Amino acid sequence: MLPINFTPGPSQLYFTLTDHVRNAFKEGIPSLSHRSKQFEAIFKETTSGLRNLLGLPADYHIFFTGSATEIWERVIQNLVEQHSTHLVNGSFSARFFETAAQLNKKPFKSEANEGTGFPENIIVPQETELLAITHNETSTGVSVPLEHIYTWRKKYPDTLIAVDAVSSLPYPEIDYSKVDTVFFSVQKGFGLPAGLGVWMVNEKCLAKSERLSKKGMSLGTYHSLPSFLSHSAKSQTPETPNVLGIYLLGKVIGNMLERGIQNIRRETNYKATLLYQLLDSHPILKPFVKDHSARSKTVIVADCGTHVENIARVLKEKGMQPGDGYGSFKKTQLRFANFPTHSKEQYELLVDTLQAYNS
Ligand SMILES: *Cc1c(COP(=O)(O)O)cnc(C)c1O
């Protein structure tokens, strides 16, 4: 038996995935032409399922990439002439900022310490074309409250807002009319094998990319927004895509729709409360994120001090694989993904086992 995988990414596969993979091979999906009618039907099933699941408005488009790392680059290339501003409080948000610098833009950053969130009254420089927000900083388990994002939207109405929701979706109920682009990759909350990114953009983003293109700026050669748009109008992609991944994503989304997104959200809240309550009261383990409003519901980080290896061993003996601490926190922290595939029973086993650990 494989252990229950609590690593944030790649994480535990969605529990229905094996059946879908088997069917995919029976149906010949892995070698299906991406210019066939059958592919177009898969494209439509996956994108319309995602629209339903997330409540995505009609003026949003959905495009497929190779990863979220690719989308960082595409966001900067397609939506920023010179200045993006990045909220940086950990490794992933820092990479987004560095991507802009590497692409020869002039990005600003507003920093917070690892393990803490950003104040609601951040100052965004006036020249900012795009505000880059990592909704859930996966390295430290800090989440930006959606209400903060909506406040910034009101205060800076002419700035595009980009939300990296890689390790939080499908959990957060985002008001997509108050942001402009949101993206994720599938090996975290959706429980799929890695190798597929999903980029959702509104009309304002498309218009911005057209403006940059008219100015003679390069938007990239194949995954530019205009190229994505002309292909998605035919339910197609510019390149030979990860057809199997797009198919599997559609099937898992179908299962999530049957289960009900509000049920998924309720269960996520329940499991997060269990683990945070345990951490708040434990003699040895402590929650890394102290401020309750900054605590991620989907990636929960525990300070374990010198007990890291012992705790990991005890969990493994019970069939559970915790996620390592990220970067410099590897020796003192463990991370626990709380994704839709992690059942209440698995979380109860996790919490009971941690509860019993006291030496
Ligand atoms: C994992 C992660 C990424 C990168 O995703 P890839 O699919 O590996 O490119 C980006 N942002 C956040 C917040 C992540 O957790």
Side-chain angles (χ1 to χ4, degrees):
M1 266 272 283
L2 289 172
I4 305 159
N5 188 0
F6 290 105
T7 308
S11 194
Q12 176 88 0
L13 295 174
Y14 200 71
F15 56 92
T16 56
L17 194 74
T18 314
D19 286 341
H20 297 316
V21 171
R22 221 176 264 132
N23 289 336
F25 277 78
K26 265 191 229 148
E27 294 168 24
I29 305 297
S31 62
L32 187 66
S33 162
H34 60 298
R35 302 292 177 228
S36 64
K37 284 274 168 268
Q38 210 185 336
F39 174 75
E40 292 174 17
I42 292 170
F43 186 102
K44 284 185 192 139
E45 179 179 335
T46 302
T47 51
S48 70
L50 189 61
R51 268 180 206 287
N52 282 342
L53 187 73
L54 301 183
L56 203 62
D59 71 334
Y60 264 78
H61 300 264
I62 300 172
F63 304 128
F64 297 109
T65 70
S67 66
T69 302
E70 182 193 337
I71 301 172
W72 284 334
E73 178 166 303
R74 303 304 176 208
V75 165
I76 300 300
Q77 281 177 319
N78 282 268
L79 303 178
V80 179
E81 184 173 352
Q82 289 198 65
H83 301 291
S84 47
T85 292
H86 299 253
L87 303 191
V88 175
N89 63 343
S91 304
F92 290 92
S93 44
R95 266 306 287 146
F96 200 174
F97 169 80
E98 283 156 19
T99 301
Q102 286 173 351
L103 289 169
N104 294 330
K105 309 296 177 182
K106 298 184 184 73
F108 305 110
K109 62 178 157 181
S110 173
E111 286 185 278
N113 288 334
E114 286 173 315
T116 61
F118 302 89
E120 202 166 358
N121 59 358
I122 52 160
I123 304 292
V124 176
Q126 204 194 334
E127 312 92 294
T128 303
E129 298 156 64
L130 177 135
L131 179 61
I133 300 165
T134 303
H135 176 244
N136 203 65
E137 177 47 77
T138 318
S139 62
T140 56
V142 174
S143 196
V144 176
L146 294 173
E147 291 309 324
H148 280 25
I149 300 178
Y150 306 152
T151 303
W152 301 329
R153 168 57 137 225
K154 256 203 203 133
K155 202 162 159 201
Y156 305 104
D158 300 327
T159 303
L160 291 175
I161 294 188
V163 180
D164 173 341
V166 174
S167 62
S168 53
L169 280 176
Y171 168 74
E173 194 166 4
I174 297 172
D175 182 344
Y176 289 88
S177 71
K178 293 181 175 150
V179 298
D180 299 292
T181 175
V182 180
F183 56 90
F184 66 92
S185 48
V186 299
Q187 73 277 17
K188 293 180 182 163
F190 286 83
L192 291 162
L196 182 67
V198 179
W199 188 14
M200 302 177 281
V201 305
N202 69 8
E203 296 289 341
K204 260 164 87 184
C205 293
L206 293 169
K208 172 85 187 228
S209 70
E210 294 286 354
R211 275 206 305 284
L212 297 186
S213 178
K214 285 215 178 78
K215 283 189 161 183
M217 295 182 63
S218 168
L219 309 178
T221 59
Y222 70 110
H223 274 177
S224 67
L225 286 180
S227 162
F228 269 131
L229 185 65
S230 67
H231 287 88
S232 76
K234 301 173 287 185
S235 299
Q236 290 193 6
T237 55
E239 86 295 26
T240 318
N242 181 348
V243 176
L244 178 61
I246 295 170
Y247 169 92
L248 294 174
L249 177 61
K251 295 300 172 194
V252 165
I253 286 171
N255 296 140
M256 289 179 171
L257 282 167
E258 287 157 18
R259 196 172 151 193
I261 187 68
Q262 295 308 351
N263 288 329
I264 290 175
R265 288 178 177 137
R266 254 197 305 278
E267 286 173 28
T268 305
N269 288 336
Y270 168 79
K271 292 178 289 167
T273 302
L274 273 191
L275 185 50
Y276 278 120
Q277 275 180 354
L278 179 273
L279 295 177
D280 278 328
S281 62
H282 201 278
I284 293 165
L285 296 158
K286 297 281 169 259
F288 180 48
V289 181
K290 304 288 181 250
D291 173 4
H292 286 241
S293 69
R295 285 181 175 175
S296 166
K297 296 281 172 61
T298 55
V299 178
I300 299 167
V301 179
D303 264 327
C304 310
T306 56
H307 293 259
V308 163
E309 281 176 25
N310 260 339
I311 295 171
R313 184 177 48 74
V314 168
L315 290 173
K316 279 176 200 161
E317 281 166 11
K318 294 261 184 176
M320 291 176 279
Q321 172 68 54
D324 285 336
Y326 201 92
S328 60
F329 295 115
K330 203 177 166 82
K331 288 207 162 62
T332 56
Q333 295 183 349
L334 292 173
R335 291 179 302 154
F336 297 95
N338 175 19
F339 292 152
T341 198
H342 296 111
S343 68
K344 287 193 222 172
E345 291 72 22
Q346 290 169 345
Y347 249 71
E348 284 160 1
L349 177 66
L350 171 67
V351 167
D352 288 347
T353 308
L354 294 174
Q355 181 93 60
Y357 181 90
N358 53 21
S359 61

